[in-house]
Amino acid sequence: MKTASINGVEIRYRDEGTGRPLVFLHAFPLSQKMWNDQVAAFAPSFRVITFDWRGFGESSLPEGSSEMASFADDLIGLLDLLEIDRAVICGLSMGGYAAFSFLSNHANRVKALILADTRATADTEEGRNNRLTMAALVREKGPTAIVEQMTGRLLGAKTIKGNPEAVARVRSMIEANQSEGIARALLGMAARPDSTPLLATIACPTLIVVGEDDVLTPPADAKAMSAGIAGAELEIISNVGHLPNIESPSEFNRILQGFLDRLP
Ligand code: MLT
């Protein structure tokens, strides 16, 4: 693990392998550890970058907001520091929201896009209110207060029943995070704009992946994004929820590998 100072944040990151740059953006309220199986699978043939968003994992939380635009600013800072001109960007859920923010200013830095279990739309009023309630709860009681609720929504029912290792991995990532980092990201997600108008402008090869049993960003959201992006490929992974890269890493990796192999 390495550390980069960017925008007043100590960003902890991994930079493994050589070849075409492939950057993975993690979900809420997890950390770059969610990508361990992808680092292992892709570092032999790509330059794989993962990092902890500000306030998550081992990255510091600076003063100021954790809006998706701040995440995107940290990402461009990291790419500049690593002298990466263009990368394949893979964002899962909140990582996808940040990828949209990044695309709106830096589309020329994106070689290809992978949107996993995410959505282009902004929060509904109800969704925003739920985030404010959760932020207050985390600030008062810490990450353990949201572990049960979040694990139950992040993982598919079949994973919860039959894959205790995945459940333990997700729980430990949530519990290792700082309350304030989680709370600020909740406010950041609540404030994110509708990225639907951006879809028609996306000109790079795009793969959309979603777990069949995802209740947070269901297949209907993936289909809507796919309909809005010219030439987008859509893959629905059976028997998994919101975190197919953890719940079914071999299938997730197989789909990504196929897409990456077809890139010009
Ligand atoms: C995530 O997985 O990043 C979050 O659950 C997304 C969200 O809450 O909208």
Side-chain angles (χ1 to χ4, degrees):
M1 193 87 80
K2 298 174 181 158
T3 307
S5 293
I6 293 163
N7 302 327
V9 193
E10 298 296 295
I11 298 269
R12 298 279 282 158
Y13 71 97
R14 284 180 290 190
D15 177 2
E16 294 188 18
T18 53
R20 180 174 279 179
L22 172 58
V23 180
F24 288 100
L25 308 178
H26 76 76
F28 169 92
L30 305 177
S31 70
Q32 65 178 309
K33 285 185 182 163
M34 72 174 262
W35 298 118
N36 285 354
D37 294 322
Q38 285 65 49
V39 175
F42 293 105
S45 39
F46 290 85
R47 180 178 180 188
V48 178
I49 315 288
T50 68
F51 62 100
D52 291 325
W53 293 121
R54 52 172 67 202
F56 287 92
E58 297 178 18
S59 288
S60 67
L61 178 67
E63 288 303 311
S65 87
S66 293
E67 293 201 355
M68 299 304 106
S70 313
F71 286 171
D73 287 346
D74 296 343
L75 172 55
I76 193 76
L78 186 60
L79 293 184
D80 286 346
L81 184 93
L82 299 177
E83 298 182 339
I84 293 173
D85 183 31
R86 295 181 88 204
V88 179
I89 303 281
C90 172
L92 192 145
S93 199
M94 183 177 76
Y97 307 157
F100 282 129
S101 181
F102 184 78
L103 267 170
S104 64
N105 288 315
H106 305 292
N108 60 327
R109 306 289 292 266
V110 183
K111 166 85 187 156
L113 183 64
I114 302 166
L115 297 167
D117 297 83
T118 192
R119 60 159 63 97
T121 51
D123 282 353
T124 60
E125 197 55 40
E126 188 193 355
R128 243 175 249 129
N129 289 336
N130 290 341
R131 295 211 198 269
L132 302 188
T133 306
M134 190 184 276
L137 178 69
V138 169
R139 279 182 168 141
E140 195 194 328
K141 301 207 163 134
T144 45
I146 62 161
V147 165
E148 291 308 325
Q149 183 190 349
M150 281 310 302
T151 307
R153 288 192 207 162
L154 289 166
L155 296 169
K158 296 181 190 96
T159 303
I160 291 175
K161 205 159 165 240
N163 190 344
E165 201 187 307
V167 176
R169 239 181 107 189
V170 168
R171 289 184 67 104
S172 83
M173 276 187 268
I174 299 174
E175 282 166 351
N177 281 326
Q178 312 171 35
S179 307
E180 190 55 23
I182 293 175
R184 286 206 216 155
L186 282 162
L187 304 184
M189 287 192 286
R192 78 185 191 284
D194 180 14
S195 294
T196 308
L198 199 65
L199 299 179
T201 72
I202 297 177
C204 63
T206 301
L207 169 67
I208 296 168
V209 186
V210 66
E212 178 185 37
D213 302 329
D214 185 342
V215 291
L216 284 168
T217 51
D221 289 325
K223 287 177 188 159
M225 287 191 297
S226 151
I229 303 174
E233 298 177 31
L234 171 66
E235 292 278 358
I236 300 177
I237 303 183
S238 309
N239 298 319
V240 298
H242 188 64
L243 299 175
N245 68 306
I246 290 178
E247 297 177 66
S248 185
S250 54
E251 184 61 2
F252 184 85
N253 294 348
R254 187 190 65 76
I255 289 167
L256 262 60
Q257 186 71 58
F259 173 72
L260 294 166
D261 286 346
R262 289 191 296 280
L263 289 181

